[in-house]
Amino acid sequence: MPEFPIESMNVRAFAQAIGDHDPVHVDPTCSDAVQLGGLAAPLTFVLAAAQVDPGYPLRPRDDQPWHGSGATSGHLDPLGVGLLHAEQTFDYHRPVLVGDVLTADDGPWRSWDKPSSRGGVLHFQERVTVFRDPDGLPVVTATARTVIPEPEPEPDPEPEPEPEDEG
């Protein structure tokens, strides 16, 4: 991912879009912003890093049909049954402030399977992304977990009985 600049207008728009009216996002004179040393981004703002990532899989591409129309989940999964966003967590090492320029390091994916209580298998995936400042220090660690349900295979239908010979 390229550099992710934290800009005041983007922080303001994001805060407004999620209904977060805390002045720490928009008013540099509020006591919290003064104490932090600047305007703070909302807690989930680092997800907006996808907007500066040309490789983000949900970004529309001129040479490909767009799967983010809202008609489906927008996610492409190998089984075609629907990838579910199960959980997202954020561990903050310090606040994200307007003026920061972050980069993101994606760690290795971790995956595991678990039997479903309804039959079939649940395939879990976990991705950890560390957002770092220009000195390489971690600012936020974001962990995303997804699950792909694989239904139990349908049993083979019972063969129809052969008609009795009337002879």
Side-chain angles (χ1 to χ4, degrees):
M1 182 186 91
E3 291 182 341
F4 177 35
I6 310 304
E7 299 169 337
S8 62
M9 287 306 296
N10 293 338
V11 167
R12 178 187 293 267
F14 189 93
Q16 186 176 18
I18 64 171
D20 186 343
H21 304 290
D22 190 327
V24 74
H25 308 309
V26 296
D27 180 4
T29 65
C30 88
S31 62
D32 287 340
V34 169
Q35 184 178 2
L36 290 172
L39 297 175
L43 294 175
T44 57
F45 184 76
V46 293
L47 291 179
Q51 301 305 311
V52 299
D53 182 0
Y56 185 63
L58 298 182
R59 179 177 296 284
R61 304 217 184 336
D62 291 337
D63 61 338
Q64 297 174 8
W66 188 43
H67 58 277
S69 66
T72 65
S73 70
H75 291 282
L76 300 177
D77 66 80
L79 301 174
V81 295
L83 177 117
L84 305 171
H85 184 96
E87 182 179 29
Q88 181 79 46
T89 61
F90 302 92
D91 294 312
Y92 277 80
H93 309 283
R94 70 162 178 82
V96 175
L97 300 175
V98 167
D100 283 340
V101 178
L102 305 179
T103 56
D105 296 326
D106 279 331
W109 286 67
R110 189 170 74 103
S111 60
W112 65 96
D113 294 337
K114 179 179 173 183
S116 170
S117 61
R118 296 181 179 179
V121 177
L122 299 174
H123 302 285
F124 290 86
Q125 294 179 333
E126 178 181 84
R127 183 174 105 182
V128 177
T129 303
V130 180
F131 291 88
R132 297 181 183 279
D133 67 16
D135 294 325
L137 298 174
V139 178
V140 181
T141 301
T143 303
R145 291 180 189 90
T146 57
V147 62
I148 301 171
E150 182 179 340
E152 191 169 25
E154 294 289 326
D156 290 332
E158 295 283 328
E160 292 193 26
E162 304 235 355
E164 292 183 24
D165 189 16
E166 296 181 23

